[in-house]
Amino acid sequence: MRVGLFIPCYIDQFYPNAAIATLKLLQKLGVKVSYPIHQTCCGQPMANSGFEHLTTGCNDLFIKNFAEFDYIVSPSGSCVLHVKEHLHSHEEEEKAVSVRKKVYELTEFLTDILKVEQLTARFPHKVGVHQSCHGQRGLKMSQMTELVAAPFSKPMQLLQMVQDLELVELSRPDECCGFGGTFCVAEEAISVKMGKDRVADHVSHGAQYITAADMSCLMHMEGILRRQNSQVKVLHIAEILNAEEV
Amino acid sequence: MNTGTKDHAGLADIFNEDEARVDWHDETLWFVRAKRDKAAHTLPEWEALRENASQIKDNVLSNLHDYLLQFEAKAQQNGITVHWAADAEEHNQIVHSILKAKGVTRIVKSKSMLTEECHLNEHLQKSGIEVIDTDLGERIVQLAEEPPSHIVLPCIHKKKEEIGELFHEHLGTPKGESDPQFLTAAARVHLREKFLTRKAAITGVNFAIAETGEFVVCTNEGNADMGAHLSEVHIACMGIEKIIPKRKHLSVFLRLLARSATGQPITTYSSHFNKPRAGQEMHLVLVDNGRTKQLGRADFRNSLKCIRCGACMNTCPVYRRSGGHSYHTAIAGPIGSILAPNLDMKEYADLPFASTLCGSCTNVCPVKINIHEQLYKWRQVIVKEGYADTKKAVAMKAMDFTLSSPFVYKTAGKAGRWVMKNIPFLVNNKLNAWYKQRDMPEPPKQSFSEWYKKNNNE
Ligand code: SF4
């Protein structure tokens, strides 16, 4: 099995630790991973702003980088969803279709493909899970509170394998944090208010860490936590699933 | 995005100046959403019901022409006078002409989002006709001279103290009195007098049944019935998409509507009107106003399935924190944001962007409208039609250039974390919208790709 690691641009630039943890975690689980060095971005920021027609360059590059792999894995539900739903190619649509089919968000790859049942990680802290919308409602990584259906959560299933980790329960388990790509600056007031409310739900339930399968939501919440001088930290789920004895 | 102050972000900014009020607004609507969840979860067949409703509506939209003609013929047989209006203007003229012919200058009207969409009140008032809204929430916003902020809960943005103040001013209740029960009793007395003295009543229509030519009006206050039963002329106004094929289909929608709207099993009154009583005139106005145009837009026609339950507003985290008026259109919230650009793409170019695309609206929608996908699609259309902000367009082109080339991207990244300056969500547009209330991420010493090159030489 050959796995290509897709690291979204802002993780590459700002959160290399999340990417390193993803790589090491996959390697620890015996997966042969490579990182195509010439990758940039999936094009989502443009597409969600209404400029999908400008993503041709990004798409072609993405296909060039990743078409050869059996699976493409990424620590970002949102970028994966974008690729899954919107990646197209004028010249090589067949390849685009195959890319769309084999791209996975990290936790769904771990539960659905690798069928991971145990992990060696230990993280003795109280952790709140932020269910990022694109992962949850888009990729269906967890059941959604709006639907009448049996509950499940792939990220939580994995976090429960982490030794000494305590999951905190939230008042609103799957409310959006307000990041929303360009929404976070175009609609600054609401975005921040949503982020503050989301953070408050975690903090009031005693979370010491907020984690998610999407770093962009965490970046937004981190910005708010830091401004509030809060001690609560954000960590990408890969960093917790890969946590060594602390 | 839009010029002037009429843009969602700007209006939401003003709404957010009073944070305690935003909290109150958010919690009030969340309470309704939670009630909806509870009511939905009592029905194991909920998702099947939604699917059923969605398919019935698919059938309706594919055969709208036939169902409308069938409905018209049946309604006429029942003794209802049927009118057709191509747009809001024609609708208003038709209603006005009916009233004029009867010499009526004072009317009662129960809740109808269609008449809001057509600005009927303003039109009639300009012609010297007094309109009294009889739904309590509608009456309150009418006294405040505001449009409704929600399609089911029109004055959800008002606190009881503010309502007490309005009633004191207009209905003479004691100053400082804000007890809801007391105020409701006062409104009842005030409205009774109107019901008894007005000769014409306007109602909306929730469902119109092609098979029988009857229409159904759902209210919790019985005000539509009071108005219609006491009047000499009953005018019902409906959008052409309100048709359902058969009576038996009604139960599917009635079960979904109230649960989605307020968490009730059914609305208090679901009244069937199929013919005028002796001596009464019954008119029905069928309105297009952009609906056939939307029907022709393959990506957006699904929006015509909407039964106006308001669930998508209650669940929308953006709506809850920006208030209905920030959408500057009769139908606010997620569904309004996909309906409005159809009517005027320029005026409402901002609305499809007033969303994080979280998808919760799509999940609660009882007729399974893919609302968030349509928001995404509207964004593409609006940009292509040239209604996007020019600064944004330039930034996007620069982004395309950088991200299409690994070399440019890497070089730019090295040169001081290019992304920090250029990724649109971190762009310092207007006084640095990110930094205003959030800290920037701390740039690390090296990017992942730099680390990878050093540590992972395959
Ligand atoms: S779009 Fe769906 S959820 Fe929203 S008001 Fe219409 S029927 Fe209700």
Side-chain angles (χ1 to χ4, degrees):
Chain A
M1 184 202 297
R2 299 197 53 238
V3 172
L5 184 62
F6 157 41
I7 298 299
C9 53
Y10 69 97
I11 296 187
D12 175 37
Q13 297 287 329
F14 292 124
Y15 297 97
N17 289 341
I20 295 169
T22 304
L23 177 72
K24 289 193 168 163
L25 178 63
L26 287 167
Q27 284 171 340
K28 211 194 269 180
L29 292 164
V31 182
K32 192 176 169 314
V33 197
S34 21
Y35 172 74
I37 204 84
H38 294 309
Q39 57 181 291
T40 60
C41 165
C42 63
Q44 181 180 206
M46 290 181 273
N48 278 8
S49 308
F51 293 80
E52 200 185 296
H53 61 285
L54 290 184
T55 58
T56 323
C58 272
N59 285 349
D60 289 340
L61 189 62
F62 196 92
I63 293 169
K64 213 164 107 196
N65 279 314
F66 288 104
E68 53 165 316
F69 292 102
D70 301 320
Y71 293 99
I72 305 154
V73 177
S74 175
S76 164
S78 178
C79 302
V80 166
L81 181 69
H82 171 73
V83 171
K84 222 176 216 346
E85 291 191 333
H86 302 298
L87 184 101
H88 289 285
S89 168
H90 292 304
E91 283 103 47
E92 303 184 292
E93 185 57 19
E94 239 170 72
K95 277 192 182 169
V97 172
S98 104
V99 163
R100 293 206 299 270
K101 280 192 188 147
K102 60 193 183 189
V103 66
Y104 283 83
E105 181 280 327
L106 173 67
T107 63
E108 61 174 358
F109 183 73
L110 298 183
T111 54
D112 298 358
I113 304 300
L114 294 187
K115 306 204 188 296
V116 168
E117 271 164 15
Q118 52 181 22
L119 289 165
T120 54
R122 177 169 178 265
F123 195 73
H125 303 284
K126 286 182 149 188
V127 176
V129 178
H130 173 66
Q131 313 255 27
S132 298
C133 306
H134 285 182
Q136 189 194 18
R137 298 197 184 86
L139 297 172
K140 304 189 172 43
M141 282 157 55
S142 349
Q143 191 51 273
M144 305 142 244
T145 52
E146 301 95 5
L147 299 182
V148 177
F152 70 89
S153 167
K154 293 173 191 180
M156 287 201 205
Q157 188 185 320
L158 291 164
L159 286 169
Q160 270 149 2
M161 297 173 197
V162 175
Q163 211 190 317
D164 300 333
L165 180 146
E166 193 186 326
L167 286 174
V168 302
E169 255 189 59
L170 302 173
S171 305
R172 299 183 188 180
D174 55 6
E175 173 109 317
C176 174
C177 71
F179 172 69
T182 43
F183 179 87
C184 75
V185 290
E187 294 262 5
E188 186 265 343
I190 313 236
S191 171
V192 168
K193 180 61 183 146
M194 286 169 70
K196 277 162 111 180
D197 291 354
R198 197 77 291 256
V199 160
D201 197 352
H202 287 267
V203 172
S204 69
H205 287 89
Q208 298 163 300
Y209 288 86
I210 302 177
T211 193
D214 224 310
M215 202 64 227
S216 51
C217 307
L218 291 174
M219 171 169 73
H220 166 61
M221 288 191 275
E222 180 184 59
I224 287 166
L225 285 166
R226 282 228 196 110
R227 185 59 61 91
Q228 294 173 344
N229 287 320
S230 170
Q231 296 306 304
V232 175
K233 292 192 173 63
V234 303
L235 266 188
H236 189 274
I237 193 165
E239 294 174 84
I240 295 181
L241 299 180
N242 192 49
E244 305 291 335
E245 296 281 318
V246 191
Chain B
M1 177 134 313
N2 230 328
T3 47
T5 48
K6 261 196 164 190
D7 120 290
H8 183 270
L11 293 167
D13 213 357
I14 299 168
F15 188 75
N16 271 266
E17 278 166 12
D18 184 350
E19 191 169 353
R21 192 183 188 91
V22 178
D23 288 334
W24 166 79
H25 191 261
D26 166 57
E27 273 152 30
T28 312
L29 288 158
W30 183 260
F31 175 76
V32 187
R33 149 85 206 265
K35 266 183 80 185
R36 171 259 169 220
D37 288 355
K38 238 187 176 167
H41 280 83
T42 57
L43 299 184
E45 71 274 32
W46 182 257
E47 301 303 333
L49 265 182
R50 289 175 70 218
E51 182 57 34
N52 200 346
S54 171
Q55 287 185 12
I56 295 169
K57 283 283 183 179
D58 269 333
N59 176 318
V60 169
L61 295 180
S62 301
N63 301 286
L64 192 55
H65 172 87
D66 296 339
Y67 287 129
L68 281 168
L69 291 182
Q70 188 190 357
F71 174 75
E72 180 188 37
K74 291 282 174 189
Q76 282 169 342
Q77 278 169 27
N78 297 345
I80 302 174
T81 311
V82 179
H83 309 258
W84 297 85
D87 55 22
E89 188 53 38
E90 196 178 355
H91 161 264
N92 294 344
Q93 277 164 9
I94 291 169
V95 173
H96 186 199
S97 67
I98 300 168
L99 297 172
K100 213 163 146 193
K102 301 295 286 182
V104 175
T105 54
R106 302 187 307 170
I107 64 162
V108 284
K109 182 176 130 264
S110 81
K111 217 166 133 19
S112 144
M113 285 319 294
L114 177 79
T115 58
E116 286 298 326
E117 175 188 319
C118 297
H119 302 289
L120 177 70
N121 285 16
E122 287 98 308
H123 179 94
L124 293 181
Q125 276 152 7
K126 257 191 240 142
S127 318
I129 293 173
E130 178 214 64
V131 185
I132 302 286
D133 279 315
T134 59
D135 171 274
L136 180 56
E138 292 267 336
R139 184 67 185 134
I140 292 166
V141 289
Q142 191 179 32
L143 291 176
E145 293 178 20
E146 286 173 16
S149 69
H150 186 290
I151 59 177
V152 173
L153 313 157
C155 74
I156 195 72
H157 61 291
K158 285 224 173 298
K159 296 195 175 180
K160 60 181 197 287
E161 292 74 20
E162 292 163 329
I163 296 168
E165 195 47 45
L166 273 173
F167 278 26
H168 167 67
E169 204 179 299
H170 296 275
L171 309 182
T173 53
K175 193 163 178 58
E177 181 59 79
S178 65
D179 173 53
Q181 217 164 347
F182 182 91
L183 296 178
T184 312
R188 179 190 292 248
V189 173
H190 161 72
L191 289 171
R192 283 274 147 137
E193 190 267 325
K194 310 291 177 198
F195 285 128
L196 290 167
T197 51
R198 300 317 190 241
K199 289 199 176 79
I202 296 179
T203 69
V205 169
N206 288 87
F207 305 98
I209 303 167
E211 174 189 37
T212 58
E214 75 197 290
F215 58 91
V216 178
V217 182
C218 303
T219 71
N220 274 325
E221 297 165 20
N223 58 311
D225 310 78
M226 286 276 268
H229 294 328
L230 291 166
S231 66
E232 289 165 23
V233 186
H234 175 187
I235 308 171
C237 305
M238 62 176 268
I240 51 173
E241 82 285 13
K242 296 267 157 157
I243 293 274
I244 57 172
K246 290 185 184 320
R247 228 187 194 176
K248 69 171 186 195
H249 297 135
L250 188 65
S251 60
V252 174
F253 293 100
L254 289 181
R255 293 183 80 197
L256 287 166
L257 176 65
R259 284 182 174 87
S260 300
T262 56
Q264 293 164 267
I266 194 160
T267 45
T268 316
Y269 302 88
S270 302
S271 307
H272 296 238
F273 294 90
N274 69 357
K275 60 173 182 229
R277 59 161 205 279
Q280 193 195 32
E281 271 181 34
M282 193 179 273
H283 295 264
L284 191 110
V285 193
L286 287 156
V287 185
D288 182 338
N289 203 35
R291 284 162 178 75
T292 46
K293 193 164 142 209
Q294 187 88 323
L295 191 64
R297 299 182 195 268
D299 286 341
F300 305 110
R301 62 178 284 172
N302 245 341
S303 61
L304 295 172
K305 291 179 177 174
C306 177
I307 57 171
R308 305 285 192 264
C309 70
C312 56
M313 303 178 182
N314 303 338
T315 204
C316 177
V318 175
Y319 175 92
R320 277 188 261 115
R321 291 173 184 84
S322 64
H325 290 152
S326 64
Y327 293 82
H328 59 92
T329 170
I331 298 173
I335 181 66
S337 299
I338 53 179
L339 292 174
N342 175 57
L343 286 173
D344 188 338
M345 217 182 284
K346 186 162 189 271
E347 171 88 6
Y348 303 116
D350 55 324
L351 295 185
F353 295 88
S355 165
T356 59
L357 306 180
C358 78
S360 185
C361 47
T362 301
N363 277 349
V364 293
C365 179
V367 287
K368 287 194 160 182
I369 302 172
N370 53 338
I371 306 174
H372 75 292
E373 287 169 13
Q374 293 192 35
L375 288 167
Y376 176 89
K377 284 182 172 153
W378 265 125
R379 293 180 184 187
Q380 314 306 326
V381 174
I382 283 164
V383 165
K384 276 218 181 113
E385 299 281 327
Y387 297 118
D389 185 83
T390 29
K391 261 197 282 154
K392 204 174 183 181
V394 171
M396 290 294 158
K397 289 222 170 84
M399 203 175 173
D400 169 39
F401 172 73
T402 311
L403 296 175
S404 299
S405 154
F407 176 73
V408 180
Y409 168 77
K410 299 261 136 95
T411 323
K414 256 198 202 118
R417 298 283 159 253
W418 172 87
V419 189
M420 190 155 230
K421 296 204 191 71
N422 295 290
I423 285 274
F425 46 77
L426 296 177
V427 165
N428 301 355
N429 73 356
K430 291 184 215 160
L431 316 159
N432 196 348
W434 177 277
Y435 190 67
K436 224 174 128 193
Q437 303 185 68
R438 282 168 290 217
D439 281 3
M440 302 285 265
E442 250 169 51
K445 277 193 219 71
Q446 57 183 357
S447 69
F448 172 72
S449 51
E450 285 159 4
W451 175 91
Y452 188 85
K453 264 188 233 160
K454 275 182 221 141
N455 296 278
N456 250 289
N457 280 325
E458 299 168 67

mmCIF file with all atom_site columns, all heavy atoms in Angstrom, chain B residues 244-258:
data_model
loop_
_atom_site.group_PDB
_atom_site.id
_atom_site.type_symbol
_atom_site.label_atom_id
_atom_site.label_alt_id
_atom_site.label_comp_id
_atom_site.label_asym_id
_atom_site.label_entity_id
_atom_site.label_seq_id
_atom_site.pdbx_PDB_ins_code
_atom_site.Cartn_x
_atom_site.Cartn_y
_atom_site.Cartn_z
_atom_site.occupancy
_atom_site.B_iso_or_equiv
_atom_site.pdbx_formal_charge
_atom_site.auth_seq_id
_atom_site.auth_comp_id
_atom_site.auth_asym_id
_atom_site.auth_atom_id
_atom_site.pdbx_PDB_model_num
ATOM 1   N N   . ILE B 1 244 ? -49.477 20.656 -3.402 1.00 0.00 ? 244 ILE B N   1
ATOM 2   C CA  . ILE B 1 244 ? -49.159 19.228 -3.241 1.00 0.00 ? 244 ILE B CA  1
ATOM 3   C C   . ILE B 1 244 ? -50.222 18.442 -4.008 1.00 0.00 ? 244 ILE B C   1
ATOM 4   O O   . ILE B 1 244 ? -51.342 18.922 -4.174 1.00 0.00 ? 244 ILE B O   1
ATOM 5   C CB  . ILE B 1 244 ? -49.080 18.770 -1.767 1.00 0.00 ? 244 ILE B CB  1
ATOM 6   C CG1 . ILE B 1 244 ? -50.379 19.055 -1.014 1.00 0.00 ? 244 ILE B CG1 1
ATOM 7   C CG2 . ILE B 1 244 ? -47.911 19.437 -1.063 1.00 0.00 ? 244 ILE B CG2 1
ATOM 8   C CD1 . ILE B 1 244 ? -50.402 18.450 0.388  1.00 0.00 ? 244 ILE B CD1 1
ATOM 9   N N   . PRO B 1 245 ? -49.884 17.257 -4.500 1.00 0.00 ? 245 PRO B N   1
ATOM 10  C CA  . PRO B 1 245 ? -50.811 16.570 -5.400 1.00 0.00 ? 245 PRO B CA  1
ATOM 11  C C   . PRO B 1 245 ? -52.127 16.164 -4.740 1.00 0.00 ? 245 PRO B C   1
ATOM 12  O O   . PRO B 1 245 ? -53.193 16.490 -5.232 1.00 0.00 ? 245 PRO B O   1
ATOM 13  C CB  . PRO B 1 245 ? -50.024 15.343 -5.858 1.00 0.00 ? 245 PRO B CB  1
ATOM 14  C CG  . PRO B 1 245 ? -48.595 15.689 -5.661 1.00 0.00 ? 245 PRO B CG  1
ATOM 15  C CD  . PRO B 1 245 ? -48.557 16.596 -4.478 1.00 0.00 ? 245 PRO B CD  1
ATOM 16  N N   . LYS B 1 246 ? -52.007 15.414 -3.631 1.00 0.00 ? 246 LYS B N   1
ATOM 17  C CA  . LYS B 1 246 ? -53.227 14.828 -3.074 1.00 0.00 ? 246 LYS B CA  1
ATOM 18  C C   . LYS B 1 246 ? -53.362 15.120 -1.594 1.00 0.00 ? 246 LYS B C   1
ATOM 19  O O   . LYS B 1 246 ? -52.395 15.394 -0.900 1.00 0.00 ? 246 LYS B O   1
ATOM 20  C CB  . LYS B 1 246 ? -53.187 13.306 -3.270 1.00 0.00 ? 246 LYS B CB  1
ATOM 21  C CG  . LYS B 1 246 ? -53.344 12.888 -4.724 1.00 0.00 ? 246 LYS B CG  1
ATOM 22  C CD  . LYS B 1 246 ? -53.417 11.381 -4.784 1.00 0.00 ? 246 LYS B CD  1
ATOM 23  C CE  . LYS B 1 246 ? -53.473 10.801 -6.127 1.00 0.00 ? 246 LYS B CE  1
ATOM 24  N NZ  . LYS B 1 246 ? -54.020 11.036 -7.257 1.00 0.00 ? 246 LYS B NZ  1
ATOM 25  N N   . ARG B 1 247 ? -54.593 14.952 -1.133 1.00 0.00 ? 247 ARG B N   1
ATOM 26  C CA  . ARG B 1 247 ? -54.885 15.150 0.276  1.00 0.00 ? 247 ARG B CA  1
ATOM 27  C C   . ARG B 1 247 ? -54.057 14.230 1.167  1.00 0.00 ? 247 ARG B C   1
ATOM 28  O O   . ARG B 1 247 ? -53.602 14.609 2.235  1.00 0.00 ? 247 ARG B O   1
ATOM 29  C CB  . ARG B 1 247 ? -56.360 14.865 0.519  1.00 0.00 ? 247 ARG B CB  1
ATOM 30  C CG  . ARG B 1 247 ? -56.991 15.955 1.319  1.00 0.00 ? 247 ARG B CG  1
ATOM 31  C CD  . ARG B 1 247 ? -58.382 15.573 1.684  1.00 0.00 ? 247 ARG B CD  1
ATOM 32  N NE  . ARG B 1 247 ? -59.064 16.767 2.154  1.00 0.00 ? 247 ARG B NE  1
ATOM 33  C CZ  . ARG B 1 247 ? -60.331 16.787 2.486  1.00 0.00 ? 247 ARG B CZ  1
ATOM 34  N NH1 . ARG B 1 247 ? -61.057 15.704 2.340  1.00 0.00 ? 247 ARG B NH1 1
ATOM 35  N NH2 . ARG B 1 247 ? -60.863 17.888 2.939  1.00 0.00 ? 247 ARG B NH2 1
ATOM 36  N N   . LYS B 1 248 ? -53.866 12.992 0.700  1.00 0.00 ? 248 LYS B N   1
ATOM 37  C CA  . LYS B 1 248 ? -53.143 12.026 1.537  1.00 0.00 ? 248 LYS B CA  1
ATOM 38  C C   . LYS B 1 248 ? -51.686 12.450 1.769  1.00 0.00 ? 248 LYS B C   1
ATOM 39  O O   . LYS B 1 248 ? -51.049 12.008 2.709  1.00 0.00 ? 248 LYS B O   1
ATOM 40  C CB  . LYS B 1 248 ? -53.225 10.623 0.930  1.00 0.00 ? 248 LYS B CB  1
ATOM 41  C CG  . LYS B 1 248 ? -52.455 10.476 -0.361 1.00 0.00 ? 248 LYS B CG  1
ATOM 42  C CD  . LYS B 1 248 ? -52.384 9.021  -0.818 1.00 0.00 ? 248 LYS B CD  1
ATOM 43  C CE  . LYS B 1 248 ? -51.483 8.910  -2.032 1.00 0.00 ? 248 LYS B CE  1
ATOM 44  N NZ  . LYS B 1 248 ? -51.608 7.657  -2.749 1.00 0.00 ? 248 LYS B NZ  1
ATOM 45  N N   . HIS B 1 249 ? -51.168 13.308 0.893  1.00 0.00 ? 249 HIS B N   1
ATOM 46  C CA  . HIS B 1 249 ? -49.788 13.768 1.078  1.00 0.00 ? 249 HIS B CA  1
ATOM 47  C C   . HIS B 1 249 ? -49.670 14.775 2.214  1.00 0.00 ? 249 HIS B C   1
ATOM 48  O O   . HIS B 1 249 ? -48.594 15.026 2.736  1.00 0.00 ? 249 HIS B O   1
ATOM 49  C CB  . HIS B 1 249 ? -49.254 14.400 -0.212 1.00 0.00 ? 249 HIS B CB  1
ATOM 50  C CG  . HIS B 1 249 ? -49.180 13.435 -1.347 1.00 0.00 ? 249 HIS B CG  1
ATOM 51  N ND1 . HIS B 1 249 ? -49.606 13.742 -2.619 1.00 0.00 ? 249 HIS B ND1 1
ATOM 52  C CD2 . HIS B 1 249 ? -48.757 12.147 -1.400 1.00 0.00 ? 249 HIS B CD2 1
ATOM 53  C CE1 . HIS B 1 249 ? -49.435 12.697 -3.407 1.00 0.00 ? 249 HIS B CE1 1
ATOM 54  N NE2 . HIS B 1 249 ? -48.931 11.711 -2.687 1.00 0.00 ? 249 HIS B NE2 1
ATOM 55  N N   . LEU B 1 250 ? -50.804 15.356 2.553  1.00 0.00 ? 250 LEU B N   1
ATOM 56  C CA  . LEU B 1 250 ? -50.783 16.431 3.542  1.00 0.00 ? 250 LEU B CA  1
ATOM 57  C C   . LEU B 1 250 ? -50.215 15.967 4.878  1.00 0.00 ? 250 LEU B C   1
ATOM 58  O O   . LEU B 1 250 ? -49.453 16.684 5.535  1.00 0.00 ? 250 LEU B O   1
ATOM 59  C CB  . LEU B 1 250 ? -52.208 16.967 3.723  1.00 0.00 ? 250 LEU B CB  1
ATOM 60  C CG  . LEU B 1 250 ? -52.344 18.211 4.577  1.00 0.00 ? 250 LEU B CG  1
ATOM 61  C CD1 . LEU B 1 250 ? -51.646 19.390 3.924  1.00 0.00 ? 250 LEU B CD1 1
ATOM 62  C CD2 . LEU B 1 250 ? -53.824 18.534 4.790  1.00 0.00 ? 250 LEU B CD2 1
ATOM 63  N N   . SER B 1 251 ? -50.581 14.730 5.279  1.00 0.00 ? 251 SER B N   1
ATOM 64  C CA  . SER B 1 251 ? -50.154 14.252 6.596  1.00 0.00 ? 251 SER B CA  1
ATOM 65  C C   . SER B 1 251 ? -48.634 14.235 6.721  1.00 0.00 ? 251 SER B C   1
ATOM 66  O O   . SER B 1 251 ? -48.082 14.544 7.774  1.00 0.00 ? 251 SER B O   1
ATOM 67  C CB  . SER B 1 251 ? -50.716 12.858 6.846  1.00 0.00 ? 251 SER B CB  1
ATOM 68  O OG  . SER B 1 251 ? -50.247 11.975 5.848  1.00 0.00 ? 251 SER B OG  1
ATOM 69  N N   . VAL B 1 252 ? -47.953 13.901 5.632  1.00 0.00 ? 252 VAL B N   1
ATOM 70  C CA  . VAL B 1 252 ? -46.484 13.874 5.670  1.00 0.00 ? 252 VAL B CA  1
ATOM 71  C C   . VAL B 1 252 ? -45.961 15.258 6.044  1.00 0.00 ? 252 VAL B C   1
ATOM 72  O O   . VAL B 1 252 ? -45.107 15.417 6.918  1.00 0.00 ? 252 VAL B O   1
ATOM 73  C CB  . VAL B 1 252 ? -45.918 13.455 4.294  1.00 0.00 ? 252 VAL B CB  1
ATOM 74  C CG1 . VAL B 1 252 ? -44.402 13.569 4.269  1.00 0.00 ? 252 VAL B CG1 1
ATOM 75  C CG2 . VAL B 1 252 ? -46.364 12.047 3.944  1.00 0.00 ? 252 VAL B CG2 1
ATOM 76  N N   . PHE B 1 253 ? -46.522 16.270 5.401  1.00 0.00 ? 253 PHE B N   1
ATOM 77  C CA  . PHE B 1 253 ? -46.026 17.623 5.620  1.00 0.00 ? 253 PHE B CA  1
ATOM 78  C C   . PHE B 1 253 ? -46.456 18.194 6.971  1.00 0.00 ? 253 PHE B C   1
ATOM 79  O O   . PHE B 1 253 ? -45.694 18.895 7.618  1.00 0.00 ? 253 PHE B O   1
ATOM 80  C CB  . PHE B 1 253 ? -46.473 18.533 4.473  1.00 0.00 ? 253 PHE B CB  1
ATOM 81  C CG  . PHE B 1 253 ? -45.829 18.166 3.175  1.00 0.00 ? 253 PHE B CG  1
ATOM 82  C CD1 . PHE B 1 253 ? -46.496 17.415 2.224  1.00 0.00 ? 253 PHE B CD1 1
ATOM 83  C CD2 . PHE B 1 253 ? -44.515 18.536 2.926  1.00 0.00 ? 253 PHE B CD2 1
ATOM 84  C CE1 . PHE B 1 253 ? -45.877 17.052 1.036  1.00 0.00 ? 253 PHE B CE1 1
ATOM 85  C CE2 . PHE B 1 253 ? -43.883 18.176 1.743  1.00 0.00 ? 253 PHE B CE2 1
ATOM 86  C CZ  . PHE B 1 253 ? -44.573 17.433 0.791  1.00 0.00 ? 253 PHE B CZ  1
ATOM 87  N N   . LEU B 1 254 ? -47.681 17.878 7.364  1.00 0.00 ? 254 LEU B N   1
ATOM 88  C CA  . LEU B 1 254 ? -48.136 18.402 8.650  1.00 0.00 ? 254 LEU B CA  1
ATOM 89  C C   . LEU B 1 254 ? -47.329 17.811 9.804  1.00 0.00 ? 254 LEU B C   1
ATOM 90  O O   . LEU B 1 254 ? -47.049 18.484 10.790 1.00 0.00 ? 254 LEU B O   1
ATOM 91  C CB  . LEU B 1 254 ? -49.632 18.126 8.861  1.00 0.00 ? 254 LEU B CB  1
ATOM 92  C CG  . LEU B 1 254 ? -50.579 18.953 7.987  1.00 0.00 ? 254 LEU B CG  1
ATOM 93  C CD1 . LEU B 1 254 ? -52.032 18.614 8.315  1.00 0.00 ? 254 LEU B CD1 1
ATOM 94  C CD2 . LEU B 1 254 ? -50.346 20.450 8.127  1.00 0.00 ? 254 LEU B CD2 1
ATOM 95  N N   . ARG B 1 255 ? -46.921 16.563 9.664  1.00 0.00 ? 255 ARG B N   1
ATOM 96  C CA  . ARG B 1 255 ? -46.109 15.949 10.717 1.00 0.00 ? 255 ARG B CA  1
ATOM 97  C C   . ARG B 1 255 ? -44.722 16.584 10.775 1.00 0.00 ? 255 ARG B C   1
ATOM 98  O O   . ARG B 1 255 ? -44.131 16.727 11.835 1.00 0.00 ? 255 ARG B O   1
ATOM 99  C CB  . ARG B 1 255 ? -45.955 14.436 10.466 1.00 0.00 ? 255 ARG B CB  1
ATOM 100 C CG  . ARG B 1 255 ? -47.248 13.659 10.592 1.00 0.00 ? 255 ARG B CG  1
ATOM 101 C CD  . ARG B 1 255 ? -47.004 12.181 10.403 1.00 0.00 ? 255 ARG B CD  1
ATOM 102 N NE  . ARG B 1 255 ? -46.489 11.566 11.622 1.00 0.00 ? 255 ARG B NE  1
ATOM 103 C CZ  . ARG B 1 255 ? -45.883 10.389 11.656 1.00 0.00 ? 255 ARG B CZ  1
ATOM 104 N NH1 . ARG B 1 255 ? -45.696 9.702  10.544 1.00 0.00 ? 255 ARG B NH1 1
ATOM 105 N NH2 . ARG B 1 255 ? -45.448 9.892  12.795 1.00 0.00 ? 255 ARG B NH2 1
ATOM 106 N N   . LEU B 1 256 ? -44.211 16.944 9.620  1.00 0.00 ? 256 LEU B N   1
ATOM 107 C CA  . LEU B 1 256 ? -42.869 17.520 9.567  1.00 0.00 ? 256 LEU B CA  1
ATOM 108 C C   . LEU B 1 256 ? -42.859 19.002 9.945  1.00 0.00 ? 256 LEU B C   1
ATOM 109 O O   . LEU B 1 256 ? -41.959 19.473 10.637 1.00 0.00 ? 256 LEU B O   1
ATOM 110 C CB  . LEU B 1 256 ? -42.291 17.368 8.157  1.00 0.00 ? 256 LEU B CB  1
ATOM 111 C CG  . LEU B 1 256 ? -41.849 15.965 7.733  1.00 0.00 ? 256 LEU B CG  1
ATOM 112 C CD1 . LEU B 1 256 ? -41.628 15.921 6.227  1.00 0.00 ? 256 LEU B CD1 1
ATOM 113 C CD2 . LEU B 1 256 ? -40.572 15.545 8.467  1.00 0.00 ? 256 LEU B CD2 1
ATOM 114 N N   . LEU B 1 257 ? -43.866 19.724 9.480  1.00 0.00 ? 257 LEU B N   1
ATOM 115 C CA  . LEU B 1 257 ? -43.851 21.184 9.604  1.00 0.00 ? 257 LEU B CA  1
ATOM 116 C C   . LEU B 1 257 ? -43.729 21.669 11.047 1.00 0.00 ? 257 LEU B C   1
ATOM 117 O O   . LEU B 1 257 ? -42.794 22.385 11.395 1.00 0.00 ? 257 LEU B O   1
ATOM 118 C CB  . LEU B 1 257 ? -45.115 21.766 8.950  1.00 0.00 ? 257 LEU B CB  1
ATOM 119 C CG  . LEU B 1 257 ? -45.294 23.288 9.078  1.00 0.00 ? 257 LEU B CG  1
ATOM 120 C CD1 . LEU B 1 257 ? -44.192 24.043 8.339  1.00 0.00 ? 257 LEU B CD1 1
ATOM 121 C CD2 . LEU B 1 257 ? -46.653 23.741 8.539  1.00 0.00 ? 257 LEU B CD2 1
ATOM 122 N N   . ALA B 1 258 ? -44.660 21.266 11.897 1.00 0.00 ? 258 ALA B N   1
ATOM 123 C CA  . ALA B 1 258 ? -44.679 21.818 13.249 1.00 0.00 ? 258 ALA B CA  1
ATOM 124 C C   . ALA B 1 258 ? -43.499 21.316 14.078 1.00 0.00 ? 258 ALA B C   1
ATOM 125 O O   . ALA B 1 258 ? -42.917 22.056 14.865 1.00 0.00 ? 258 ALA B O   1
ATOM 126 C CB  . ALA B 1 258 ? -45.992 21.463 13.927 1.00 0.00 ? 258 ALA B CB  1
#
